[in-house]
Amino acid sequence: NYKEFSAIYPNYLDSNKTAKLGRRIAVKDALPEPKIQDIHEALVSLNIRHAIQPHKGYSRDASSRWDNSGRVLVDLVGAVESGVMNMNSDGAFDLGEDIPDMDNIENYQNKENKKGGGMGKKQLLRQLAQTVRDLPSRQKRLEEKIKMLEEEKLKAVKAEKVATKTGGSSGGGGNRKKKGKKKK
């Protein structure tokens, strides 16, 4: 029953997005332009049950509905069973040992950095981002994208050179008669 699953949108892991547009983890932990397929492959490698909904868009970011649509529904209980997340004895997902006081926030942050981050959905997102970053299919896709962008730049440079060789004007010459009514 996937109605009890938790949704993960690519925006949650995207380092190009702001927190307002949906990024849920720190920029240093996030990665640029994650795709639904990347998240799927990472969840398969982590052995976490999930369902892909390719035509769902993230409501806060209209551009992601067109450019990077879809979401993955994740079984958080399955993530606990596989050891990626922890759960308290009361059934709530463990968000760390304690909630910090504002007076001791620096000590709490140092402790969090030493133990590798808090538990819960954010830990799962960090783990997904790390796993997606190392996927061979993602690396291949990014290399192809870089190669395609370089080819487009070369084509633009060649087109600019051709345009300057032919005179650069698209008017077709200056000795043409003007069309229209003759003035008396």
Side-chain angles (χ1 to χ4, degrees):
N1 188 5
Y2 68 87
K3 292 184 180 186
E4 297 173 3
F5 288 14
S6 182
I8 294 181
Y9 292 92
N11 283 30
Y12 291 2
L13 307 173
D14 197 342
S15 63
N16 297 332
K17 303 290 182 186
T18 63
K20 188 174 183 178
L21 291 177
R23 182 177 37 81
R24 297 281 175 101
I25 58 176
V27 174
K28 66 180 178 120
D29 296 331
L31 56 142
E33 301 176 16
K35 301 286 183 196
I36 288 295
Q37 189 64 27
D38 297 338
I39 296 171
H40 161 72
E41 289 178 25
L43 288 168
V44 167
S45 70
L46 293 172
N47 198 21
I48 298 174
R49 230 170 42 141
H50 62 282
I52 298 174
Q53 294 182 326
H55 302 294
K56 298 286 186 176
Y58 188 59
S59 59
R60 286 190 190 176
D61 186 14
S63 68
S64 71
R65 293 183 199 159
W66 299 103
D67 299 337
N68 196 6
S69 66
R71 71 178 176 189
V72 180
L73 298 178
V74 179
D75 181 17
L76 294 180
V77 175
V80 169
E81 291 170 358
S82 68
V84 177
M85 290 175 55
N86 292 336
M87 187 182 286
N88 284 339
S89 59
D90 62 356
F93 293 103
D94 187 5
L95 299 177
E97 293 175 7
D98 55 348
I99 298 174
D101 295 333
M102 291 310 291
D103 300 334
N104 299 331
I105 192 75
E106 289 181 20
N107 293 336
Y108 180 77
Q109 288 172 343
N110 290 337
K111 187 167 44 168
E112 283 293 312
N113 290 339
K114 287 179 187 173
K115 74 175 186 177
M119 305 297 176
K121 189 171 176 182
K122 281 197 178 188
Q123 181 192 11
L124 176 63
L125 292 174
R126 283 188 210 105
Q127 183 69 33
L128 280 175
Q130 184 62 40
T131 306
V132 167
R133 188 176 284 118
D134 299 333
L135 288 174
S137 60
R138 176 181 168 75
Q139 293 171 354
K140 182 179 178 184
R141 180 174 50 86
L142 292 177
E143 288 171 2
E144 289 173 358
K145 183 178 179 182
I146 290 170
K147 186 177 178 181
M148 192 170 65
L149 289 173
E150 289 174 356
E151 289 174 1
E152 287 177 7
K153 280 184 182 179
L154 287 175
K155 286 180 184 178
V157 168
K158 286 181 182 178
E160 190 176 313
K161 285 182 182 178
V162 169
T164 56
K165 275 186 178 179
T166 59
S169 65
S170 59
N175 294 335
R176 279 198 171 167
K177 292 184 178 180
K178 294 182 182 177
K179 293 184 178 180
K181 290 185 175 182
K182 292 184 180 179
K183 292 185 179 179
K184 293 183 183 183

